[in-house]
Amino acid sequence: MESLLVNSVEKNLTQFMFSNAIFLCERLLADFPSEVNLQLLARCYLSNGQPYSAYYILKGSKTPQSRYLFALSCFKLDLLGEAEAALLSTVEQQVIPGGAAGHYLLGLIYRYAGRKNSSVEQFRIALSCDPLCWEAYAQLCSLGVAEEASTVFGNVAAQRLQKTHVPQRINFSEGETKDQLIDSDKASKDISVWQTEHVPGENQQDLKVKQLGAEIPPDTDNQRNASSHTNGWDLNTPSPVLPQVLDVPPPMLYKNMRRPEVEGLMSVHGEPRKKFVCEEESSEAPEESRRRRSARIAAKRKIPMFHHSPSESNGVPSLSSMIGKCRIQSSKEATTSGQSINDTGSSVDDEQNSNPRGSSLDPFSLMSGISEMLNLLKILGDGHRSLHMYNCQEALLIYQKLSEKQYNTHWVLMQVGKAYVELQDYFSADSVFTLAHQKYPYALEGMDTYSTVLYHLKEEMRLGYLAQELIAIDRLSPESCANGRCASGNYYSLRKDHEAALKMFRRAIQLNERFTYAHTLCGHELAALEDFEDAERCYRKALSIDTRHYNAWYGLGMTYIHQEKFEFAQHQFQLALQINPRSSVIMCYFGIALHESKRNDEALKMMEKAIVADARNPISKYFKANILANLGDYHKALKVLEELKDSAPQESSVHALLGKIYKQVKLYDKAVLNFGIALDLNPSTSDAVKIKACMERLIVPDELETEEDL
């Protein structure tokens, strides 16, 4: 009954029938109380979104798996202290339950608790335990401390994966002794080096000496296949268990040579193989002596062996029959031999021939797959790291190295779109996000950034439709509603309804308290309402979640500028530039803060840097001209503004500043013309009042104008 219930619960979990799994698991635990069954019930609760139930049933458990599940439940309940205590209850033994997953969870706990150095250490340990733990590397990238992907996913990672997946793949019978397992472990070490012999005149890239820890080029299998077809000899990869049953190294692999004699096959360096005599002589001793030692040892140890194919002669099997692994047979070929040979427990008939190339356990296939996967992770890792270092041009070039199938996945498209956003290329970002949303309408990641792109493009109708669409995906999902509220907030902000926008952003925060961008957007709306104290509080909250969220540092700097606290503003902009040193917008407002502090030379240099960083950004050129005009260098200011007028002819502020400068150089006709153009471009109400005041004072003498200003 116990095994029946366990299998049923596992099946229900696989089929996402969580309620039924909980019901059956409660019956299981009632009749068969044990720690393992308790863990199974906790898994059911966690799968069903009931971490509080898993928390109460696992509290006080001491086994590693129970402590990991309990820590996960605490983390979901935001009980970071209890989660850390559960994972570190055996810290004196330096054992974290869950392996790489446990270290990753502990890293998240440390990060949320504001302990950056400890979290970085745990993420790196998680990567060392499992190089395929991508989320650990992504967290390191977001913290700004990730190493180059070629280092993280290099030879060390390949060796780790090969050690985990490639060595011994045979499950021995229950009666196997501890010594036999030790022998098997030794055998896996004996075959760490595969030797091949190169024939003079052949290409130097034919066959090379390879170690399991080294990377295998993608064409290794092709070379091996070409060799076998040339010689008519199936050169399959020796199994990790082969040296266990043979006291000789694996045979040499030959390319473009005649097949050696049978005796030569079992010899080493030309010396004949030693004959082994059975302890008990029989009348069939000559025939018995021809039997492989592997077969005789297997008969004693009851290790499952494969029979030879009919094509084999002289009782000597080919290398393919000596491979110590199994091929998962199809339903027509497999029989119920009862021998459990692979990790999944599949059974194969001893009478069937093994075909290593068709098996997923082929060492060369596994090693080739490891190499391909790590190469893919190197590209993705380099791109992700460059994006988080805000080297967006390089990130875009790296992502272009991906295949078309990988490039068009949702995650990659989101990364490309975010890179364009950081470059302020909103039209390109819009096209990428639109493509991603069309291909993956169910995906929610990155939709907050997509709504911001539509906000900058002033696409009011599309923004409102996107907000409704995101909420409609799943009205009961916090993630769906949070992204929808964020898009709604951008919609109302675009319409200058800051109160409604603030309400939407606060609802998004209620659904996800760690929504960093929503906190920042709340700060922007409060700053627009001139509630600078609450705006600063929102920015601080965003930074407490993610210290590298440079938008919050930028928002703090802007609030200080509005409050004329220019020294504080400079500090905030400086911190933002340390995170994103390529943002021309931050450089521009940093220059304004310097100018207001009477540090004009530094301000002009900062404006020049901003123009070099992004020549398309009109703000930096406008403020450079404004600083030059304030310094009395009108001719240079006019030159900058004339260039800016050609690139941004619809900006009323540019024409207004031109009118002021022409007034100062006493070119009143041009001043009136530019003031008129500025009014025709529908400036804001406050700007329109200022422009009209300047026009009225065109004929007023400078002395009287100065007195009026005073």
Side-chain angles (χ1 to χ4, degrees):
M1 178 179 174
E2 182 178 9
S3 61
L4 175 63
L5 286 174
V6 170
N7 291 335
S8 298
V9 171
E10 293 287 357
K11 180 180 178 182
N12 289 157
L13 289 176
T14 304
Q15 296 174 340
F16 305 99
M17 297 177 62
F18 301 132
S19 298
N20 197 63
I22 292 173
F23 174 81
L24 293 178
C25 201
E26 287 177 349
R27 310 286 77 74
L28 171 67
L29 190 62
D31 285 340
F32 306 98
S34 68
E35 191 75 16
V36 175
N37 292 337
L38 187 67
Q39 295 168 7
L40 184 59
L41 180 59
R43 285 175 52 203
C44 296
Y45 284 138
L46 287 170
S47 300
N48 199 39
Q50 299 176 237
Y52 46 86
S53 299
Y55 171 83
Y56 282 107
I57 67 171
L58 289 173
K59 195 168 186 178
S61 299
K62 298 300 182 182
T63 60
Q65 182 64 14
S66 296
R67 289 191 293 112
Y68 173 76
L69 293 174
F70 179 72
L72 184 60
S73 303
C74 293
F75 179 77
K76 290 180 178 294
L77 296 173
D78 204 24
L79 302 174
L80 302 182
E82 291 189 56
E84 180 185 359
L87 291 174
L88 297 178
S89 61
T90 57
V91 68
E92 66 278 358
Q93 301 177 8
Q94 298 296 323
V95 176
I96 301 296
H103 287 287
Y104 172 72
L105 178 59
L106 188 57
L108 286 179
I109 293 169
Y110 285 144
R111 182 175 183 183
Y112 289 176
R115 299 159 64 181
K116 178 180 176 181
N117 294 335
S118 298
S119 66
V120 169
E121 180 183 359
Q122 293 301 320
F123 290 140
R124 286 175 175 167
I125 295 175
L127 269 176
S128 65
C129 294
D130 183 7
L132 298 184
C133 186
W134 167 262
E135 281 300 315
Y137 186 76
Q139 290 291 334
L140 291 174
C141 288
S142 64
L143 290 170
V145 294
E147 299 177 358
E148 292 185 0
S150 58
T151 301
V152 177
F153 304 109
N155 293 334
V156 176
Q159 292 173 4
R160 180 67 182 178
L161 291 176
Q162 290 166 9
K163 181 179 179 182
T164 304
H165 298 283
V166 174
Q168 55 186 61
R169 283 285 179 174
I170 293 183
N171 294 329
F172 296 94
S173 60
E174 295 180 358
E176 183 176 23
T177 63
K178 182 178 180 181
D179 293 338
Q180 292 170 347
L181 291 174
I182 294 175
D183 292 340
S184 177
D185 183 68
K186 291 179 179 179
S188 65
K189 297 178 180 178
D190 292 337
I191 61 159
S192 60
V193 178
W194 304 85
Q195 295 181 349
T196 60
E197 184 176 2
H198 180 75
V199 180
E202 292 291 328
N203 194 311
Q204 291 296 329
Q205 296 180 352
D206 287 339
L207 295 175
K208 302 177 181 180
V209 177
K210 286 289 181 183
Q211 187 175 359
L212 282 178
E215 296 186 39
I216 302 298
D219 60 341
T220 302
D221 289 338
N222 297 335
Q223 295 175 357
R224 184 164 54 88
N225 294 340
S227 175
S228 62
H229 293 312
T230 303
N231 300 296
W233 182 22
D234 191 9
L235 293 180
N236 289 307
T237 308
S239 165
V241 83
L242 181 60
Q244 178 185 349
V245 295
L246 293 178
D247 289 339
V248 295
M252 311 293 283
L253 298 182
Y254 293 83
K255 180 177 176 66
N256 294 335
M257 293 183 67
R258 292 184 58 190
R259 177 180 176 178
E261 299 297 330
V262 172
E263 293 78 11
L265 176 64
M266 306 304 298
S267 63
V268 183
H269 303 296
E271 298 180 3
R273 180 177 63 86
K274 295 181 179 180
K275 302 294 183 180
F276 293 90
V277 181
C278 184
E279 295 179 359
E280 296 180 5
E281 297 292 341
S282 65
S283 58
E284 299 178 356
E287 180 180 355
E288 183 69 13
S289 63
R290 291 198 301 269
R291 289 178 59 190
R292 296 284 305 274
R293 182 172 179 266
S294 59
R296 287 185 277 112
I297 293 179
K300 292 180 180 181
R301 297 184 177 181
K302 298 183 179 180
I303 299 176
M305 294 293 294
F306 294 96
H307 287 274
H308 315 324
S309 61
S311 62
E312 294 169 358
S313 60
N314 298 329
V316 179
S318 66
L319 285 177
S320 61
S321 64
M322 293 188 289
I323 304 300
K325 64 177 186 59
C326 74
R327 172 176 175 261
I328 301 177
Q329 302 290 337
S330 63
S331 59
K332 295 183 180 180
E333 296 176 348
T335 61
T336 58
S337 62
Q339 299 288 349
S340 177
I341 303 180
N342 56 12
D343 292 340
T344 60
S346 302
S347 298
V348 291
D349 191 352
D350 287 352
E351 297 296 329
Q352 299 292 335
N353 294 326
S354 64
N355 185 2
R357 293 177 186 172
S359 170
S360 62
L361 301 179
D362 181 9
F364 271 96
S365 298
L366 284 171
M367 294 168 69
S368 177
I370 289 171
S371 178
E372 292 176 5
M373 185 62 204
L374 291 178
N375 287 334
L376 176 60
L377 290 179
K378 287 177 184 179
I379 298 176
L380 295 174
D382 283 334
H384 197 56
R385 180 175 179 269
S386 297
L387 181 59
H388 277 276
M389 299 300 292
Y390 298 99
N391 192 355
C392 300
Q393 290 285 5
E394 182 178 346
L396 291 173
L397 293 175
I398 292 173
Y399 284 131
Q400 289 178 0
K401 299 177 183 178
L402 294 169
S403 64
E404 183 178 355
K405 293 180 180 179
Q406 289 290 340
Y407 187 88
N408 287 319
T409 57
H410 181 263
W411 186 88
V412 175
L413 289 175
M414 288 298 100
Q415 302 301 304
V416 172
K418 290 176 182 178
Y420 281 124
V421 170
E422 295 298 338
L423 293 171
Q424 297 181 14
D425 188 354
Y426 297 117
F427 290 103
S428 298
D430 180 28
S431 62
V432 174
F433 279 116
T434 302
L435 173 63
H437 190 53
Q438 290 175 351
K439 289 175 66 67
Y440 309 97
Y442 52 85
L444 298 172
E445 182 186 359
M447 291 297 102
D448 53 340
T449 308
Y450 184 24
S451 67
T452 301
V453 171
L454 297 178
Y455 169 85
H456 284 290
L457 294 176
K458 304 186 185 305
E459 293 283 354
E460 183 177 329
M461 184 181 299
R462 291 175 59 194
L463 187 54
Y465 181 75
L466 176 65
Q468 296 179 3
E469 197 175 15
L470 292 176
I471 296 176
I473 290 177
D474 187 357
R475 293 184 179 274
L476 301 179
S477 169
E479 184 181 5
S480 175
C481 292
N483 280 278
R485 300 302 179 190
C486 184
S488 299
N490 280 325
Y491 170 77
Y492 286 117
S493 180
L494 183 59
R495 301 186 63 181
K496 307 300 181 183
D497 190 351
H498 300 295
E499 292 285 353
L502 184 61
K503 186 178 180 180
M504 291 296 106
F505 292 138
R506 283 175 172 168
R507 286 184 180 178
I509 293 173
Q510 289 176 352
L511 294 167
N512 182 5
E513 293 183 356
R514 302 195 65 82
F515 198 164
T516 310
Y517 193 43
H519 287 286
T520 302
L521 292 175
C522 270
H524 292 341
E525 297 306 316
L526 289 168
L529 294 171
E530 298 186 355
D531 188 354
F532 300 117
E533 184 177 350
D534 287 342
E536 182 178 350
R537 190 178 298 111
C538 289
Y539 292 135
R540 297 290 182 189
K541 179 62 178 178
L543 291 171
S544 68
I545 300 172
D546 183 6
T547 56
R548 297 192 77 250
H549 188 61
Y550 76 91
N551 304 82
W553 292 113
Y554 163 78
L556 279 174
M558 294 300 296
T559 58
Y560 288 136
I561 282 183
H562 288 301
Q563 298 177 75
E564 298 184 358
K565 299 178 180 179
F566 301 115
E567 296 294 335
F568 290 162
Q570 293 171 28
H571 178 66
Q572 307 304 322
F573 289 134
Q574 192 170 12
L575 292 175
L577 279 176
Q578 289 177 3
I579 300 170
N580 185 1
R582 297 174 178 82
S583 174
S584 62
V585 176
I586 298 176
M587 294 178 189
C588 178
Y589 285 102
F590 189 14
I592 293 173
L594 292 171
H595 171 63
E596 295 294 340
S597 299
K598 309 302 181 183
R599 299 165 63 180
N600 296 315
D601 293 338
E602 296 179 48
L604 284 175
K605 290 181 180 179
M606 188 58 62
M607 290 301 176
E608 291 290 347
K609 289 179 63 177
I611 294 172
V612 172
D614 185 4
R616 300 172 300 174
N617 185 9
I619 300 176
S620 54
K621 293 181 180 179
Y622 173 80
F623 282 112
K624 178 185 177 181
N626 196 9
I627 293 173
L628 290 172
N630 290 333
L631 294 176
D633 197 345
Y634 299 118
H635 294 289
K636 289 184 178 179
L638 284 173
K639 183 178 180 181
V640 174
L641 286 174
E642 289 295 338
E643 295 177 358
L644 182 58
K645 185 178 67 173
D646 295 336
S647 59
Q650 302 300 318
E651 291 292 336
S652 62
S653 57
V654 174
H655 292 281
L657 183 57
L658 274 171
K660 291 180 181 179
I661 295 176
Y662 281 129
K663 177 179 177 294
Q664 294 296 329
V665 296
K666 303 185 183 306
L667 296 175
Y668 299 116
D669 293 340
K670 291 186 177 182
V672 171
L673 175 62
N674 281 280
F675 282 138
I677 295 174
L679 288 174
D680 292 338
L681 292 174
N682 297 322
S684 63
T685 304
S686 59
D687 289 342
V689 171
K690 293 178 181 178
I691 293 172
K692 290 179 181 178
C694 290
M695 293 180 68
E696 292 173 355
R697 292 187 296 182
L698 276 176
I699 59 175
V700 178
D702 293 340
E703 294 81 2
L704 296 177
E705 183 178 344
T706 304
E707 292 178 1
E708 290 178 2
D709 293 338
L710 294 174

